[in-house]
Amino acid sequence: MAEKTLMKGNEALAEAAIRAGCKCFFGYPITPQTEISAYLSKRMPKVGGVFLQAESEVAAINMVYGCAGSGIRCMTSSSSPGISLKTEGISYIAGSDLPCVIINVQRGGPGLGGIQPSQADYWQVTHALGHGDFHAIVFAPASVQEMVDTVTKAFDLADEYRMPAVILADGLLGQMMEPVTFEDTEIKMSDASNKPWAACGHGNKRKHNIINSLYLKPDQLEDNVRARFERYEEIKAKHTEAISDYCEDADTVVVAYGSTARLAKSAVEAARKEGIKVGIVRPVTLWPYPAKEIAEACKNAKNVLCVEMSMGQMVDDVKIAINCSKPVEFYGRTGGIIPKPAEILAKIREMGGKN
Amino acid sequence: MEYKKINIITGHYGSGKTNISVNMALELAGRGEKVTVVDLDIVNPYFRTADFEALFGEHNIQLTVPTYANSNLDIPALGFDMNGIADREGYIIIDVGGDDEGAKALGRYLPVFKKYDTQMLYVINKCRYLTKEPEEALQLMYDIENASGLKCDGIINNTNLGSETDSNIISDSAEYAKAVCEAANLPLVAVTSQKEYLGDTDNAFPVKIYVKKLWEQFGDEQA
């Protein structure tokens, strides 16, 4: 078993990227994710990779676009306002069927907002990460170790389905320290990392590859988008994930993701000790959204509580998941304020066992 | 632990500087000494001594924080009158930001540090990813010295794996700490951990863990 070390979430994401075979990182600093850039600026040159601080987020994402087109594993990271700047590039990357990993260590918004933790980019990442018909695979890890494990998975799935994958963290996850383990084994790239479509020089030995998101004929564009959406169905079937605890006999089920799920789980466990029948289900992927898993977790519940570090952006997805079959209430804090376990517990007590 | 008038706590990000600073301040206050804690962290957006305002208040410990600490203004602005702070009766503990980047903030106060009896203590943690090897810890110490214009006077072995720390981790770190001290030619002034993990370690300085995650704090309150 590999040795455990103490790492800050941002550093762990960066190290995990290197170990996942990421060879190029393009970024622009922004709190609370700057440690990703700082770490990679030191580590990338040592592994023969490229670290480049671009002149802006827009430049960085377009460098990712070019790099991904050449078939190299690449990544960018930012925090909320920076991700907004990247959305045009992300749409082009999706429209060109290119794989890459994008990390968003969320902070408060809208606008320049604040530097404290937030989950107020849920709508953006799941519904509108750029213009046009497309999705990105979205992971919402809840611990530093899970962030490490997710990075490899994100690169592999991005390659396999030729699409952007996003790791949606927040300032709390990025800044906190936890023990982590990295596998000692050599990096095993998935088969999809072999990319016959890449524009990396044909040397007059094969037909040249074209990376493009512009279609001159509307029916070609429609066919392309439809083909992409067929692939999305496969991802939904194979890679949707959620984890539920204490839900079997629960009268109230809490739905929360990311660091908020950690806070909510401590409140759920405290409520259990008080004899309140409450469970928790945590979406691990936000797209594809674990609607079936949430419905299953909530099947015996009388009511559902959605907890978020936002004004309640996931609430409607929970309602759809359970087909509006029972009341869904919300508790959350926003603007960089973290919902405290005691506040969540108070809400659980209020709802516990209510019809 | 031996205190000087001014005690500067420096080290790698996450080595445990803040938790040590809080413990030192509380120990001194417990002895009836007057203490001022200076949060000199200009690199970390959160998890800093400024978070302990209420705890310090209960123990009559004075706290001086950067003007914009824990606000949304993300600028490294320091408006301290360090001379005025050092003129106060009692001890000063300065919690510095991580690495050489954080230590840069010390430079402008050099005249104050030269005027008063000052020590800079370097905190090491064998479980931190980029300072696991004595050579790495030593290189970072030199980087901090270069950035600050000060020389370290002693080493604190604060090896910890967060909530997974145990007595084996502490005993396993002895050799590492010795190697760093010998190479740096500096004394090991303290081994800091929770009392139950320290055993009969020399220079033991038992600490309580104050820097905690919200769910850990909540678990403690519930217990």
Side-chain angles (χ1 to χ4, degrees):
Chain A
M1 162 115 171
E3 194 188 355
K4 272 197 176 177
T5 57
L6 195 60
M7 283 188 102
K8 202 172 198 175
N10 285 335
E11 301 167 341
L13 284 165
E15 180 62 29
I18 285 178
R19 287 167 184 255
C22 174
K23 284 281 176 251
C24 294
F25 176 88
F26 309 97
Y28 186 82
I30 181 170
T31 305
Q33 66 78 54
T34 300
E35 292 87 354
I36 297 175
S37 284
Y39 189 95
L40 288 172
S41 71
K42 288 182 181 161
R43 279 281 282 144
M44 265 301 187
K46 289 185 186 163
V47 296
V50 170
F51 166 86
L52 199 152
Q53 181 175 319
E55 66 269 39
S56 73
E57 287 88 346
V58 178
I61 193 67
N62 282 291
M63 290 172 187
V64 168
Y65 183 19
C67 186
S70 74
I72 293 168
R73 277 197 168 177
C74 57
M75 181 169 99
T76 186
S77 69
S78 192
S79 179
S80 310
I83 295 292
S84 292
L85 286 166
K86 288 182 196 291
T87 53
E88 180 198 54
I90 296 170
S91 174
Y92 277 65
I93 290 168
S96 306
D97 295 313
L98 294 177
C100 68
V101 171
I102 299 151
I103 295 172
N104 181 2
V105 184
Q106 297 169 91
R107 59 188 248 179
L112 207 44
I115 63 170
Q116 301 290 328
S118 167
Q119 292 181 320
D121 301 347
Y122 176 90
W123 279 332
Q124 182 191 53
V125 75
T126 58
H127 291 74
L129 197 57
H131 62 279
D133 281 322
F134 81 94
H135 286 291
I137 305 171
V138 184
F139 295 97
S143 71
V144 178
Q145 182 67 57
E146 193 182 333
M147 292 208 286
V148 165
D149 302 338
T150 302
V151 169
T152 310
K153 203 190 289 181
F155 272 110
D156 283 346
L157 290 185
D159 276 353
E160 188 176 344
Y161 294 100
R162 293 181 58 181
M163 63 191 284
V166 178
I167 296 174
L168 190 72
D170 62 66
L172 194 53
L173 284 167
Q175 293 295 325
M176 75 183 187
M177 295 251 179
E178 283 190 313
V180 290
T181 313
F182 292 97
E183 294 299 326
D184 277 337
T185 47
E186 286 272 302
I187 299 157
K188 267 197 230 119
M189 297 267 215
S190 59
D191 291 343
S193 64
N194 173 27
K195 296 162 182 166
W197 48 262
C200 52
H202 52 75
N204 291 320
K205 287 185 179 123
R206 60 161 168 79
K207 208 168 161 270
H208 66 275
N209 288 329
I210 297 171
I211 305 294
N212 175 43
S213 70
L214 171 69
Y215 292 87
L216 296 180
K217 293 182 178 164
D219 54 344
Q220 274 181 0
L221 177 56
E222 188 190 43
D223 287 349
N224 215 286
V225 172
R226 282 190 185 282
R228 204 172 287 132
F229 272 70
E230 274 168 33
R231 292 202 292 279
Y232 292 163
E233 287 307 311
E234 187 188 322
I235 300 170
K236 284 184 191 173
K238 282 188 182 170
H239 301 290
T240 308
E241 256 186 89
I243 294 172
S244 60
D245 285 300
Y246 319 111
C247 288
E248 195 52 38
D249 68 339
D251 292 329
T252 299
V253 168
V254 176
V255 190
Y257 70 92
S259 63
T260 304
R262 299 279 289 276
L263 298 156
K265 196 175 178 189
S266 63
V268 164
E269 284 168 350
R272 276 272 165 186
K273 282 188 194 140
E274 293 177 9
I276 302 170
K277 286 185 177 171
V278 56
I280 180 166
V281 56
R282 170 169 81 86
V284 174
T285 52
L286 297 181
W287 193 92
Y289 194 70
K292 267 186 224 146
E293 289 77 1
I294 288 170
E296 173 66 22
C298 297
K299 68 177 182 211
N300 299 323
K302 293 175 179 135
N303 53 31
V304 179
L305 171 63
C306 190
V307 183
E308 296 172 70
M309 238 181 319
S310 74
M311 289 303 286
Q313 300 190 3
M314 191 173 68
V315 175
D316 286 347
D317 286 340
V318 174
K319 285 180 181 170
I320 293 167
I322 62 166
N323 209 9
C324 295
S325 57
K326 42 200 88 174
V328 178
E329 293 194 33
F330 169 71
Y331 183 78
R333 301 293 301 268
T334 195
I337 306 292
I338 299 166
K340 297 238 166 36
E343 297 165 9
I344 303 168
L345 176 60
K347 183 71 186 174
I348 291 170
R349 281 186 192 133
E350 186 193 307
M351 289 175 64
K354 261 196 327 195
N355 278 307
Chain B
M1 187 142 17
E2 216 171 286
Y3 296 94
K4 297 277 173 73
K5 167 76 187 176
I6 298 176
N7 305 275
I8 301 168
I9 311 301
T10 186
H12 186 33
Y13 290 111
S15 55
K17 298 175 293 299
T18 296
N19 200 59
I20 289 173
S21 300
V22 174
N23 275 278
M24 286 170 75
L26 287 169
E27 199 219 15
L28 283 165
R31 290 196 224 149
E33 301 286 355
K34 286 200 162 41
V35 192
T36 301
V37 174
V38 179
D39 177 344
L40 202 71
D41 195 336
I42 52 160
V43 285
N44 225 21
Y46 7 110
F47 309 133
R48 47 193 304 153
T49 34
D51 299 344
F52 300 97
E53 201 176 351
L55 179 73
F56 288 165
E58 287 166 26
H59 293 86
N60 271 327
I61 296 167
Q62 296 202 61
L63 173 67
T64 307
V65 304
T67 320
Y68 303 111
N70 282 345
S71 80
N72 278 328
L73 198 50
D74 191 14
I75 57 169
L78 293 169
F80 300 138
D81 169 16
M82 196 65 88
N83 247 316
I85 294 167
D87 265 344
R88 289 178 194 165
E89 194 190 334
Y91 293 93
I92 319 286
I93 292 165
I94 304 180
D95 183 18
V96 186
D99 285 8
D100 43 330
E101 285 93 345
K104 268 183 200 140
L106 290 164
R108 64 187 279 191
Y109 303 116
L110 277 185
V112 184
F113 301 144
K114 289 201 171 126
K115 190 169 147 196
Y116 292 89
D117 191 20
T118 300
Q119 64 175 349
M120 181 157 84
L121 302 176
Y122 178 58
V123 181
I124 56 172
N125 178 1
K126 185 176 183 272
C127 296
R128 276 288 286 148
Y129 193 71
L130 291 180
T131 55
K132 276 192 298 193
E133 301 301 327
E135 301 75 40
E136 295 172 314
L138 196 68
Q139 183 55 51
L140 182 61
M141 188 188 86
Y142 293 143
D143 292 345
I144 287 172
E145 290 184 339
N146 285 337
S148 65
L150 287 162
K151 291 279 176 204
C152 290
D153 300 288
I155 304 232
I156 295 175
N157 177 12
N158 185 55
T159 292
N160 75 91
L161 193 54
S163 58
E164 294 181 30
T165 309
D166 60 28
S167 44
N168 286 333
I169 284 174
I170 304 306
S171 51
D172 284 353
S173 71
E175 215 168 298
Y176 162 81
K178 200 176 154 207
V180 178
C181 289
E182 276 174 8
N185 197 22
L186 287 174
L188 181 69
V189 297
V191 181
T192 47
S193 187
Q194 287 115 299
K195 200 173 178 185
E196 60 268 36
Y197 307 139
L198 283 167
D200 55 358
T201 311
D202 289 340
N203 298 326
F205 182 86
V207 294
K208 282 190 184 160
I209 307 302
Y210 293 100
V211 180
K212 281 193 173 181
K213 296 175 183 75
L214 280 168
W215 44 87
E216 291 169 354
Q217 285 169 21
F218 180 69
D220 292 350
E221 287 158 22
Q222 293 287 309

